[in-house]
Amino acid sequence: MRIAVLNLAFVVSGWLSWSAAVSAAELVLAAEGKSNYQIVLPDPTLDPIIDRALGKAADVMREMFLANGGTIPVVRESQADKQQPGIYLGDTAVARAAGVEASQLPVWAYVWKTAGPSVILAGRDWPATKQQDSGDRSCCLGTVKAMTDFLREFCGTRFLAPGGLVGIEFLPTPKIVIPAGLSRRKHPLVNYNSGGRPTTEVNEIGLNLLNNVTTEYFAHTHELAVPAEKYAEQHPEYFALFHGQRIRQHPHPWKPEVMVKEPHLCYSNKDVQELIYQDILRSLDAGYSDYLSLQADGFQPCTCDDCKRLFDTADWGEKLWLLNKHWAERLLKDRPGKFLVVSAYTVTGKPPTAFQDFPPNLRVSVGSYQQAFDLWKDGAIPGGFVTYLHAWGGYHLCGYLPVRTPQYAERTVRMYGQYHVKGVGLDSPPAIMWGLEGPTVYVYARMLDDVQNLTAQQLVEEYLQAAYGPAAAPMTRMFDELHHTLAAYAEVFGVDNGILPAKHGARRASVPRLSNASRQEHAGRVAGRDGISREDHHGLVRHQQAALPAGNLDAGTDRPSTITISPGSISPGSGLDI
Ligand SMILES: [Zn+2]
């Protein structure tokens, strides 16, 4: 039946070749600059921010057809030509009639499905509950993700960088063909991959910069649940007893003459425990799925007798882990399907010894580097992890220059796959320099699409071919040089947040492109010292960058030399050898 409908549609359209029309196995969306398809948007009953985002997505798809020589209308569903096939974006009546309930899909998941000659691309599109202080709200735009992946897979489109059409490359695709029985439901590797600033830009979503709509706060939430300003006067017993005082103040770090009350809590106090639990429920009932549980920064333990006795342990990490476990177990009954995320941070930085099997609704938030994850490899954590990535940021020793390599990006996302990471907070947006870090960010972004099968090597090639076309070969050599030069920083010194770890120990590391003379000079500079200071290391990095040969782009056959950096910055067995 479907084949008959297809043939009728193509015969009526009259311009497609007969060979395409009779093929039952494929649908031809466009050929030789002609298409009888229309892009169909849902009627505007959604939030205006969603309508705008879907409209922009449709515009990008129309540009793709234009780039291949054809024009295609964009219409609302109520205005669609029912006699012609359509590419239906989002929660349309056609999608629902085909059994695609976009509004029921999980965050950032999407469906591709053919319905006769028409194509449905749909995900759940909704804005997060909380209004941001400024700018747009965070939205999940599963339909935009469905469309960007579709354009990449079938239409030769490459999303290379933010910035509208400037950041998109439409590779020539004279014939756009999809399987007639296309049916795919895809769940993202992570529920968010976000630097905090909400985005609805098509390119960024194509690059898997996915807004967080699952967690209300990435903050020290315990002090938000029990604010000192609200409770200090009436309930001083809520706050940590320290040197005989419950209510203590310190000067605000930058506001003169403003005093700030210490936020540290008396965790054995039942009211404190209940206030935190009620804040968990409040946030989850507002529409979020995850709640981050995090004690105050610079944790100061309460010294009251009840706190000392709490859970019969003197270890505050154990006390807080056990409290979190109790909250999670209670939450499992009260709000099944929701998650408590406990940050492995300062006093809770190590796994608890009191239990190894975590409740299924408890996730752990750890730093985005191998040692941080490996601390947890022996426990059963069915809820998985979330993480916070310091890969990019102006505080790195490289400053605003490129920081990372494609290999670093590949390894990082592989780690996410291995540890079932469910969300990534980006401390800084990836790549301050989108030109020079383009290949690396592309690897990071695209690895999230298929962590099992994609590799840095193939993705760098995909990027360079799309971005530079006939200049791809010399640009490949240029980027090879750059990545060799960055390797030591990107993969050894700059792990975690770019601050040189305090550990010492001789390690070998590849440092490329140093002449014999500079190598000897280099070895002389580092020999005999018992540590590399931040300034020293900055010099090392500048030294390497100076070694990038501006006029030596065709010297690609040289291999990186290897020197011994002593002392190194990582402990043996860290897995960070390069
Ligand atoms: Zn106490």
Side-chain angles (χ1 to χ4, degrees), residues 246 266 268 302 304 307:
R246 294 263 183 194
C266 177
S268 63
C302 180
C304 81
C307 278

Side-chain angles (χ1 to χ4, degrees), residues 22-55:
V22 296
S23 171
E26 60 184 31
L27 290 175
V28 179
L29 305 190
E32 296 167 11
K34 296 197 173 72
S35 173
N36 61 341
Y37 276 78
Q38 55 195 324
I39 300 171
V40 184
L41 290 164
D43 288 320
T45 55
L46 305 170
D47 192 300
I49 191 173
I50 302 295
D51 288 336
R52 278 199 302 276
L54 295 186

